[in-house]
Amino acid sequence: METAMKHATDKITILVVDDQEDFRDFLVTYLEGEGFHVLQAEDGEDALTLINNQKPHLVLLDVMMPDKNGYDVCRDIKSSTATADIPIIFVTAKTGLSDKLAGYISGGQRYLCKPFELSELDECVRAVLRQQNLKHNQLNHNFGPSQDSPDMD
């Protein structure tokens, strides 16, 4: 199925970051079934390495991980000009208001609390990707070459 967000030969890449292997595998299987290319990392350092090397279109990020928590990983992603435009969806068991606020303050676009319905995950992912696509189209429209500028070929 071809959508406005991707071409038939160009898959959207999502990075799943969670220290729980079973949950990570569950998300990977589901997202691949939906047609996405999925990368995975079990901790924040692995995630940052993958992000810098492969620049995914979206990151699904757990909060509670060993060594570096999701909020810190998000701040690292958002502090680099090379990766600041990558949207982050927190997917976590931390459900308190202060946790959600910390997610948004660190730079996350959405905050999805475990457990969740797959339809909720699907809508959250697609909404963020639509928003990102609109933002890129708006930037290209506002700052790209004008219609009457000569071709540079």
Side-chain angles (χ1 to χ4, degrees), residues 35-112:
F36 296 105
H37 174 74
V38 184
L39 306 171
Q40 55 182 310
E42 65 181 323
D43 61 42
E45 291 302 327
D46 287 346
L48 291 170
T49 299
L50 277 170
I51 288 166
N52 287 320
N53 291 336
Q54 300 198 30
K55 197 167 182 198
H57 297 97
L58 172 67
V59 176
L60 300 180
L61 181 60
D62 188 19
V63 172
M64 296 180 291
M65 295 183 293
D67 300 323
K68 188 172 226 154
N69 70 44
Y71 303 132
D72 291 336
V73 172
C74 186
R75 278 189 286 273
D76 288 350
I77 293 166
K78 296 302 179 178
S79 68
S80 168
T81 56
T83 59
D85 63 332
I86 299 173
I88 310 290
I89 299 174
F90 284 102
V91 181
T92 181
K94 294 185 71 73
T95 61
L97 178 59
S98 63
D99 300 312
K100 293 175 185 177
L101 290 174
Y104 291 120
I105 289 168
S106 67
Q109 276 71 20
R110 299 284 173 102
Y111 197 99
L112 189 59

